Amino acid sequence: MVTYLVQVATGGQIGSASSDLISIALVGVNGESPKQLLGDTFPAGSVQQYNINTPADLGQILFVRLYKELGVPKDNPWKCNYVNVTSPSGESTRFPCYMWLSGLMTMEVQEGKGILLTHGVNPLIVQQRKIELDRNREIYRWKVYADGAPYCIDASDAKELPPDARFSFQKYASFSFTLAATGLEIQLKGFTDCTDPWTDLNDINKVFLYKKTHNSVLVSQMWKEDSFFGYEFLNGVNPVIIRKCIKIPGNFPVEQEMVAAILGTSTDLNKELENGNIYLADYSILEGVPANTINDQPQYLTAPLCLLWKNPQDQLLPMAIQLGQTPGPNNPIFLSSDPEWDWTLAKIWVRNSDFQVHEIGTHLLRTHLLAEVFNIATARQLPMGHPLYKLIVPHLRYTLEINVLARIQLIGPGGLFDEAFVTGNGGVPVLLKKAMDELTYTCLCLPDDIKERGMESVPNYYYREDGMKVWLAVESLVSGIVNYYYKDDDMVSKDPELQAWVEEIFTKGFLGCTSTGVPSSLGTRAELIKYLTMVIFTCSGQHAAVNSGQFDFFSWLPNGPSSMRKPPPPVKGAATYQTLLDALPEVNTTTNAMAVEWLLSHEPEDKRPLGNFQNERFTEETPQAIIKEFQENLEGISKQIQERNSTIQGLTYLYLDPKNIESSVSI
């Protein structure tokens, strides 16, 4: 008889324990052990030891097979963190799992050493990985979400998701409490059913007396300032729409005499264009998007153009706004030199348009829906033993459940978008399809996007400055892992699991559209490094940049109205303070939108900031050293950002501090 020492670790979170019957078999190159019962008591957080006897030495242990059989009186799901096997010679091998076993099932867990199916792989490993992926493809199924949109998980309710895709008890309780408490607060104050318009903007401060942030208070004070309006294009929650303007668009006939008052006598519009100081925000994507009806009243949406100037003091200032794409007598160009309420109302219309593009294009599509595609494709095409699975999986945590909840409670029929957003009730799928038509690989890769929009040198662009630091840190991590496992380009092109993963993302996420520039296969290590960096950054840093500041910038209604009750003004010189109040959403619409923004801006409990690899999936020394270096890089970036923010008076840019970046799209 040969004896192996086996340690079995149960997860520490609430609900991980099980009283079901768990058995194990060890599978090695020389055979496998008999199935042996481990017992029926597995407390949360425990590490239990067992002796496994076999008739002969099994050689290198390739994987362990775990059996879960139903106990009495009902199924008790079990969270297995890892199995550690020590051979008779004293050699120890870890088999990282971090998965739920639910119902009557068998799971095979490969050793922690990352393995590629490129050459010389034991046939037992090949078979084990095929079985694992076949099972996953039955569990993680695709379905069409909307015409022209990325595919999504085939689940109409979060309860239909596999246990590994569900919230932890801690996260679910925290999320549910925040949702319920926020809704109860506005209901008790009588705001939920109040369809009256606001009679004084200051009354908005009564909605949430205690739910405020440093930045949200400053926004409510600064919202009318042109310098703040320009700042938001750089460091607000939609910092990706602005681009350098080298020629005034033909449908936006801004001339020198219109903007002479703001430019002064020392320069002119042509000089500023030549010097690269003119920028454009174009919302043409909103043309043709149907507007919602809220409180039995039609709502209004427009597609403005906004021209901005970087002045000698490095402030980005709006100069001219046209509220529709077609110039004409009923579509005037509003100027910063116009009367106060004309100019203020024009800026509010731009903020409303930016709100819609942000929520559906920048936030929903470019982070949530793409992260869901990465999640499903990873489960279906990359087995747990693949090194890229180990690298990616921390950035996919909880995405499926939050997206299923969003499709039910936010953007689904009767959801909060229908109740409070101009793009609700039919507008979301139309805008989503238009956003898909504009989606490119370039816009998903931060360095390429910055260059393509001509935003390399504009000052005080903290999204770019902090984002590039995080991007390069992720790129360094990815480069280390890729170069360790893939010794040359040939190994990349011949990795069947990797190629199937990339192809499925291209087909289901980007609908096979070659014009996006998104690759359908990868042939070199450099291509793989860029692709993986994009995936991880999208799920972490990019989501943080476009999500975490929503309450900061949108909780003050005029700075981010979710809808507008009046059409855009067809003439200049007629706007008053009352005109503004008449155009903004009613009380209940406002408070519903504010509740959404508070919920989405606050990550529930059970957080995993970027770089926090709580589950140790890489067991080799080199990958572990690469991860440690990544964590040190993030600490340095965080320190730099905090030092810069300490010198800033007023608004601070917090969203890409690694300590504030959640590893995955989980809210």
Side-chain angles (χ1 to χ4, degrees):
M1 273 290 179
V2 176
T3 301
Y4 291 83
L5 177 64
V6 173
Q7 293 176 311
V8 178
T10 297
Q13 67 192 66
I14 296 173
S16 297
S18 179
S19 58
D20 282 359
L21 303 176
I22 307 296
S23 301
I24 194 171
L26 311 181
V27 181
V29 295
N30 297 332
E32 65 178 79
S33 70
K35 173 183 174 183
Q36 180 169 322
L37 178 66
L38 299 180
D40 60 0
T41 304
F42 295 87
S46 65
V47 178
Q48 296 170 283
Q49 290 195 167
Y50 308 90
N51 289 326
I52 304 298
N53 298 315
T54 65
D57 193 311
L58 301 175
Q60 178 191 359
I61 306 299
L62 301 174
F63 56 88
V64 298
R65 186 180 299 121
L66 297 170
Y67 304 84
K68 180 175 176 295
E69 295 161 311
L70 302 184
V72 178
K74 63 178 182 178
D75 172 42
N76 286 281
W78 174 52
K79 179 72 174 288
C80 176
N81 275 2
Y82 63 83
V83 175
N84 222 49
V85 178
T86 303
S87 69
S89 65
E91 181 181 359
S92 182
T93 306
R94 177 161 292 196
F95 300 81
C97 182
Y98 304 104
M99 301 281 282
W100 287 93
L101 280 73
S102 181
L104 180 65
M105 68 174 294
T106 301
M107 177 183 290
E108 294 176 340
V109 184
Q110 186 188 305
E111 67 158 310
K113 180 180 178 181
I115 295 178
L116 302 174
L117 297 187
T118 50
H119 61 274
V121 178
N122 190 296
L124 292 174
I125 291 291
V126 176
Q127 181 185 21
Q128 178 267 319
R129 285 161 83 132
K130 181 180 184 303
I131 292 171
E132 178 185 335
L133 293 179
D134 285 345
R135 182 190 70 233
N136 285 352
R137 288 165 191 155
E138 289 293 320
I139 298 171
Y140 294 85
R141 300 180 305 274
W142 297 103
K143 77 173 181 180
V144 175
Y145 163 48
D147 179 44
Y151 282 60
C152 67
I153 190 71
D154 185 9
S156 56
D157 189 283
K159 295 178 182 178
E160 298 174 11
L161 294 171
D164 294 297
R166 298 292 310 277
F167 289 171
S168 66
F169 175 84
Q170 184 182 13
K171 181 178 178 71
Y172 179 78
S174 173
F175 179 83
S176 300
F177 175 79
T178 301
L179 178 63
T182 304
L184 180 62
E185 181 177 354
I186 61 177
Q187 187 174 9
L188 290 175
K189 292 178 179 179
F191 293 134
T192 305
D193 300 318
C194 180
T195 58
D196 296 336
W198 295 100
T199 57
D200 186 339
L201 290 181
N202 292 319
D203 290 341
I204 299 170
N205 290 314
K206 299 176 182 178
V207 177
F208 292 136
L209 293 177
Y210 303 105
K211 289 182 172 65
K212 298 184 186 300
T213 66
H214 170 77
N215 280 353
S216 73
V217 171
L218 288 176
V219 167
S220 70
Q221 298 167 353
M222 302 167 60
W223 69 281
K224 287 180 66 179
E225 298 175 12
D226 283 358
S227 58
F228 168 71
F229 182 85
Y231 170 92
E232 214 166 345
F233 283 101
L234 302 177
N235 303 312
V237 291
N238 195 22
V240 299
I241 194 166
I242 190 173
R243 60 177 55 245
K244 183 174 287 186
C245 179
I246 58 176
K247 182 181 179 181
I248 303 297
N251 65 334
F252 192 16
V254 178
E255 298 176 351
Q256 162 60 22
E257 56 268 25
M258 294 181 178
V259 295
I262 185 174
L263 293 178
T265 58
S266 62
T267 188
D268 60 40
L269 184 58
N270 286 332
K271 286 181 182 178
E272 293 305 301
L273 285 166
E274 292 173 3
N275 292 334
N277 292 328
I278 304 298
Y279 296 85
L280 178 70
D282 186 350
Y283 297 91
S284 59
I285 191 174
L286 293 174
E287 277 201 304
V289 175
N292 195 6
T293 298
I294 301 175
N295 294 330
D296 297 324
Q297 292 188 37
Q299 306 294 297
Y300 296 89
L301 185 63
T302 190
L305 296 115
C306 179
L307 203 66
L308 301 104
W309 172 52
K310 185 197 77 66
N311 71 8
Q313 291 74 43
D314 288 338
Q315 295 174 312
L316 194 64
L317 302 176
M319 296 194 301
I321 294 171
Q322 182 178 285
L323 296 180
Q325 291 287 311
T326 304
N330 294 323
N331 187 21
I333 295 177
F334 293 89
L335 305 169
S336 57
S337 55
D338 284 342
E340 175 188 5
W341 294 114
D342 275 3
W343 183 235
T344 300
L345 186 58
K347 289 191 293 181
I348 287 175
W349 271 103
V350 173
R351 296 304 316 142
N352 167 258
S353 298
D354 194 76
F355 184 101
Q356 314 308 324
V357 173
H358 163 265
E359 291 295 358
I360 305 303
T362 306
H363 184 204
L364 176 65
L365 173 60
R366 293 194 192 182
T367 61
H368 277 262
L369 297 186
L370 291 185
E372 182 169 1
V373 170
F374 302 150
N375 195 307
I376 302 168
T378 299
R380 290 170 55 87
Q381 303 297 346
L382 296 180
M384 288 192 293
H386 197 292
L388 299 189
Y389 172 91
K390 299 172 184 287
L391 177 66
I392 296 164
V393 72
H395 308 287
L396 308 177
R397 185 170 176 256
Y398 298 148
T399 298
L400 295 186
E401 177 151 358
I402 198 63
N403 280 10
V404 169
L405 291 175
R407 282 191 283 273
I408 297 170
Q409 299 177 9
L410 286 182
I411 57 178
L416 284 168
F417 268 56
D418 277 1
E419 295 180 0
F421 291 58
V422 67
T423 46
N425 196 22
V428 170
V430 175
L431 180 52
L432 186 57
K433 187 178 187 304
K434 290 165 73 76
M436 274 290 289
D437 292 340
E438 295 185 355
L439 187 63
T440 65
Y441 193 39
T442 293
C443 76
L444 297 175
C445 298
L446 181 63
D448 298 346
D449 178 59
I450 295 295
K451 183 178 180 180
E452 194 274 333
R453 291 189 289 115
M455 300 297 292
E456 304 100 314
S457 59
V458 63
N460 303 317
Y461 194 11
Y462 303 133
Y463 164 74
R464 178 198 63 218
E465 294 173 14
D466 298 353
M468 282 301 301
K469 291 173 183 176
V470 175
W471 175 279
L472 292 174
V474 172
E475 184 180 65
S476 179
L477 165 71
V478 170
S479 179
I481 296 297
V482 166
N483 289 326
Y484 176 73
Y485 288 102
Y486 295 88
K487 303 305 180 185
D488 52 40
D489 292 343
D490 197 48
M491 290 184 70
V492 172
S493 63
K494 292 183 178 179
D495 181 350
E497 294 168 332
L498 163 64
Q499 298 299 336
W501 178 68
V502 173
E503 194 277 334
E504 185 152 305
I505 290 173
F506 176 71
T507 302
K508 300 299 185 181
F510 300 93
L511 308 182
C513 185
T514 56
S515 63
T516 62
V518 175
S520 59
S521 63
L522 300 172
T524 68
R525 292 192 292 180
E527 291 174 355
L528 176 57
I529 290 167
K530 180 176 182 178
Y531 191 88
L532 291 169
T533 303
M534 178 275 293
V535 168
I536 294 173
F537 186 79
T538 295
C539 297
S540 55
Q542 187 62 22
H543 180 254
V546 304
N547 175 76
S548 302
Q550 289 187 83
F551 188 82
D552 287 349
F553 288 98
F554 293 157
S555 62
W556 179 250
L557 169 65
N559 194 57
S562 62
S563 190
M564 297 291 277
R565 294 188 295 130
K566 299 293 182 182
V571 296
K572 296 166 63 167
T576 64
Y577 179 57
Q578 188 60 47
T579 306
L580 187 150
L581 292 173
D582 291 342
L584 290 172
E586 300 98 333
V587 171
N588 64 337
T589 305
T590 302
T591 53
N592 282 333
M594 290 175 68
V596 173
E597 290 146 11
W598 176 263
L599 179 70
L600 298 184
S601 300
H602 292 80
E603 190 75 36
E605 296 298 321
D606 194 11
K607 304 174 185 178
R608 297 266 179 94
L610 186 62
N612 181 348
F613 298 103
Q614 186 171 321
N615 297 340
E616 189 179 85
R617 298 179 185 276
F618 288 102
T619 59
E620 298 133 294
E621 290 184 4
T622 297
Q624 289 178 343
I626 293 168
I627 288 172
K628 184 177 180 182
E629 182 180 358
F630 175 58
Q631 293 168 331
E632 292 171 351
N633 285 344
L634 294 180
E635 289 179 7
I637 293 169
S638 180
K639 183 178 179 181
Q640 293 171 18
I641 292 172
Q642 290 173 26
E643 288 176 351
R644 179 201 65 211
N645 284 340
S646 69
T647 66
I648 296 175
Q649 292 184 346
L651 291 165
T652 53
Y653 192 75
L654 316 164
Y655 314 113
L656 284 170
D657 180 342
K659 294 184 184 300
N660 297 330
I661 298 174
E662 186 67 12
S663 293
S664 61
V665 179
S666 60
I667 186 60

